[in-house]
Amino acid sequence: MADRSDSRRSGVRPASSKRRPARPSSVSIEGKSGRTRRTTVPREQSTTYKLLIEYEGTRYSGWQAQSNTPKTVQGRLVAAASQTFGAVEIGGSGRTDAGVHAAGQVAHLRMNKKAAPDEIRRALNDELPADIHVIRVEPVSDRFHARHDALGRVYLYQISTRRTAFAKPFVWWIKDRLDVDRMAEAAQLIAGRRDFTRFTDKRATNESMSVEVELADVAPVDDLILVRIAASHFLWKMVRKLVSALVEVGRGTLPQAEFDRLLNDPAAAPFQPTASPSGLFLEAVIYPGEQFDRPLLPIVPVSTILGASVHRKRNA
């Protein structure tokens, strides 16, 4: 996926080139008590950095800081940064729901101090819990905004075809045998711009439900079935509902024609089942000048190759 000048090759719909006016912004900081306070970093006095972050979302109530929920990823990051650097603003490329993971979340960090990127990375990781890790820090323009500047997002979902003792927090285990070819055929129907109202729990608002999906791929890898969806943005629970529908196609309980009707017929009833958050990863966020070309591979593998090898050796 590339920059907005080559949207066909990028696989992500270019975002609007209109800029929002520079203005101070605020963010919730979570204290040990679980309460929040507000802090503001004036844009004209700040230094801005771009953060690449990975986290296991199992024990968090999602990305976004909330006044009534003490455990969020954004809240932990703000608390860690403010511990060392004082007043900060941290904004992410988008929300992830409770229990959802990220291998490539992007955030902007604004603060009133200047520091070397490696110093910031080390300071944050020293304060963060083990299930949140800052991979990279780089200085960027003060106008950079992690959400507004993003061209697209890529999500990866991991369905396990076997019970696993090690990867349970990172997969959705389906006991039934799934027809992967049938799922892959149905996934090709998802690409394009359409109204995804029937694949979200979001109530009717003034916000558009139209989403440009650039690609949707399904492939088996070892004991996993991987589903990757790339789009301009995503609605609440949209990926998990699409994955759940594809699973029903693979089971043979949802005909492909009915799946197509759910995608395209405004009169169709909303699709209710929602896949477990445990198998979902925010894989990447794409910005101008960047390209995403990672092969369709697991983020947390599930394989019986090692066990099978030992078994054969014992019986040789």
Side-chain angles (χ1 to χ4, degrees):
M1 297 179 185
D3 60 30
R4 69 181 74 200
S5 64
D6 187 4
S7 59
R8 289 184 183 177
R9 187 165 55 87
S10 72
V12 177
R13 178 179 172 82
S16 170
S17 61
K18 292 178 68 176
R19 291 280 190 172
R20 298 192 178 212
R23 56 182 172 82
S25 52
S26 60
V27 67
S28 296
I29 294 182
E30 300 176 37
K32 293 181 179 179
S33 66
R35 294 189 173 188
T36 63
R37 59 187 175 88
R38 308 293 292 182
T39 184
T40 300
V41 180
R43 185 73 59 87
E44 63 274 8
Q45 301 174 14
S46 68
T47 303
T48 305
Y49 299 88
K50 179 181 178 184
L51 310 181
L52 179 63
I53 307 155
E54 63 183 10
Y55 53 83
E56 179 188 346
T58 305
R59 68 189 188 102
Y60 295 99
S61 299
W63 161 266
Q64 185 163 332
Q66 304 169 48
S67 60
N68 61 343
T69 305
K71 283 191 175 182
T72 67
V73 178
Q74 183 187 28
R76 289 291 185 261
L77 280 161
V78 172
S82 61
Q83 184 75 19
T84 303
F85 301 109
V88 298
E89 173 199 337
I90 291 181
S93 66
R95 305 178 185 182
T96 53
D97 294 339
V100 174
H101 319 294
Q105 173 69 285
V106 174
H108 63 257
L109 164 65
R110 303 194 209 285
M111 58 187 191
N112 295 325
K113 298 179 180 179
K114 288 187 178 181
D118 279 349
E119 177 188 345
I120 296 171
R121 182 180 57 82
R122 286 193 297 268
L124 291 176
N125 287 332
D126 284 346
E127 296 291 335
L128 287 168
D131 50 9
I132 304 174
H133 178 71
V134 178
I135 301 170
R136 187 170 67 242
V137 177
E138 58 181 293
V140 290
S141 163
D142 287 341
R143 298 189 65 83
F144 175 78
H145 193 287
R147 180 166 63 90
H148 299 156
D149 290 347
L151 298 180
R153 288 88 176 160
V154 184
Y155 275 91
L156 180 73
Y157 197 97
Q158 301 196 154
I159 300 168
S160 182
T161 58
R162 73 167 178 89
R163 189 170 181 266
T164 168
F166 301 112
K168 184 179 179 181
F170 309 107
V171 300
W172 181 25
W173 173 39
I174 301 295
K175 296 181 182 180
D176 300 326
R177 186 177 182 85
L178 301 178
D179 187 327
V180 181
D181 291 337
R182 188 181 296 170
M183 293 172 65
E185 288 178 9
Q188 299 309 304
L189 302 173
I190 299 173
R193 174 169 286 278
R194 58 172 50 85
D195 186 318
F196 281 92
T197 300
R198 291 161 303 282
F199 289 95
T200 179
D201 279 350
K202 192 168 187 177
R203 300 297 177 260
T205 64
N206 292 328
E207 185 179 343
S208 172
M209 297 293 183
S210 179
V211 177
E212 176 80 19
V213 174
E214 180 63 27
L215 64 88
D217 290 334
V218 175
V221 178
D222 294 330
D223 293 311
L224 291 172
I225 298 172
L226 302 180
V227 182
R228 174 186 280 162
I229 303 178
S232 56
H233 64 288
F234 290 89
L235 306 177
W236 184 35
K237 297 186 180 180
M238 175 180 156
V239 176
R240 290 161 58 196
K241 285 185 175 292
L242 286 170
V243 168
S244 186
L246 290 173
V247 165
E248 296 308 315
V249 171
R251 279 186 173 127
T253 58
L254 180 66
Q256 184 169 305
E258 180 61 21
F259 180 62
D260 184 76
R261 192 174 82 86
L262 284 167
L263 288 169
N264 297 297
D265 185 356
F271 186 77
Q272 297 299 331
T274 305
S276 167
S278 58
L280 184 58
F281 293 79
L282 174 57
E283 189 175 15
V285 185
I286 313 303
Y287 293 90
E290 296 180 348
Q291 183 173 347
F292 177 80
D293 55 3
R294 181 178 183 265
L296 186 50
L297 294 171
I299 293 174
V300 178
V302 176
S303 174
T304 56
I305 293 175
L306 178 60
S309 176
V310 172
H311 181 75
R312 285 195 299 271
K313 203 169 185 179
R314 285 177 178 172
N315 290 277

